Amino acid sequence: EAGVAQSPRYKIIEKRQSVAFWCNPISGHATLYWYQQILGQGPKLLIQFQNNGVVDDSQLPKDRFSAERLKGVDSTLKIQPAKLEDSAVYLCASSPDTSGNTIYFGEGSWLTVV
Amino acid sequence: KQEVTQIPAALSVPEGENLVLNCSFTDSAIYNLQWFRQDPGKGLTSLLLIQSSQREQTSGRLNASLDKSSGRSTLYIAASQPGDSATYLCAPASGTYKYIFGTGTRLKVLA
């Protein structure tokens, strides 16, 4: 089966510009996660969707980050305006449901803000 | 709030050694715990999933144990190989099945 797809893989932008990342989860997976991983740290959960509803967005910096999941499938994560400290890998992951099955990760979108 | 700590932060060993990677977490009300591997420039690959009712899980040369009451999990790697070099992350799932990650153990196995 196809894995979690993310694009773009790499992006370099100037501070105060905007950027959007796209994620296509594994077909049929109800739960979708966006994580931010800063170099040398573990992934930090930004937002969790179940179908097209938000389950948890407590660590999403809502003044500059937004995310949506249309029709309970694909998702986009947007940053506007970007700051230097947003330089990180943005990882999308999906899971079949919320009963604790294995979570599958995409290869990530690498963002450098200069 | 769940906090996850992994020790050691980095490890460099000769090929063939048996390894122990430690993970501790503050909130014992977890549904399960997963161990992941991350290669440079790549996403995360799940290695082992231990349900909260289980004590251990094995896959090949990997064995993970879970002591939920004390908030600890251990990943054992037997007969380490250079191909095992990667960062290993543990992540307990709690609350709304949120996976909270530690900072990882960077492993280098020397040939």
Side-chain angles (χ1 to χ4, degrees), chain A residues 82-111:
Chain A
K83 293 185 175 182
L84 296 177
E85 58 262 36
D86 297 332
S87 295
V89 182
Y90 291 87
L91 295 163
C92 180
S94 69
S95 179
D97 52 35
T98 56
S99 65
N101 284 308
T102 301
I103 183 172
Y104 298 86
F105 280 83
E107 295 206 331
S109 292
W110 294 70
L111 173 66

Side-chain angles (χ1 to χ4, degrees), chain A residues 33 35 37 42 48 56 98 100, chain B residues 32 34 38 96-99 102:
Chain A
Y33 309 80
Y35 285 84
Q37 186 176 24
Q48 177 186 359
D56 189 310
T98 56
Chain B
N32 62 49
Q34 289 197 73
Q38 187 173 33
T96 56
Y97 286 96
K98 293 190 300 185
Y99 290 88

Side-chain angles (χ1 to χ4, degrees), chain A residues 41-54:
Chain A
Q41 299 182 16
K44 181 182 87 171
L45 179 67
L46 294 177
I47 189 166
Q48 177 186 359
F49 293 94
Q50 185 178 3
N51 297 311
N52 60 350
V54 175

Side-chain angles (χ1 to χ4, degrees), chain B residues 16-107:
Chain B
E17 283 204 0
N18 298 325
L19 306 174
V20 176
L21 308 182
N22 296 294
C23 170
S24 62
F25 47 94
T26 56
D27 181 3
S28 61
I30 64 171
Y31 299 108
N32 62 49
L33 183 143
Q34 289 197 73
W35 282 91
F36 294 85
R37 169 183 173 140
Q38 187 173 33
D39 293 286
K42 301 290 186 181
L44 281 69
T45 302
S46 180
L47 297 173
L48 289 165
L49 167 65
I50 311 177
Q51 300 295 345
S52 61
S53 58
Q54 295 177 313
R55 296 284 295 183
E56 65 179 81
Q57 193 68 252
T58 298
S59 176
R61 295 183 294 108
L62 304 179
N63 174 275
S65 66
L66 175 64
D67 185 342
K68 182 180 162 183
S69 61
S70 67
R72 293 181 183 176
S73 178
T74 302
L75 179 68
Y76 300 90
I77 303 176
S80 58
Q81 302 172 357
D84 295 330
S85 298
T87 297
Y88 291 81
L89 296 146
C90 75
S94 56
T96 56
Y97 286 96
K98 293 190 300 185
Y99 290 88
I100 303 300
F101 285 83
T103 52
T105 294
R106 294 187 306 280
L107 172 64

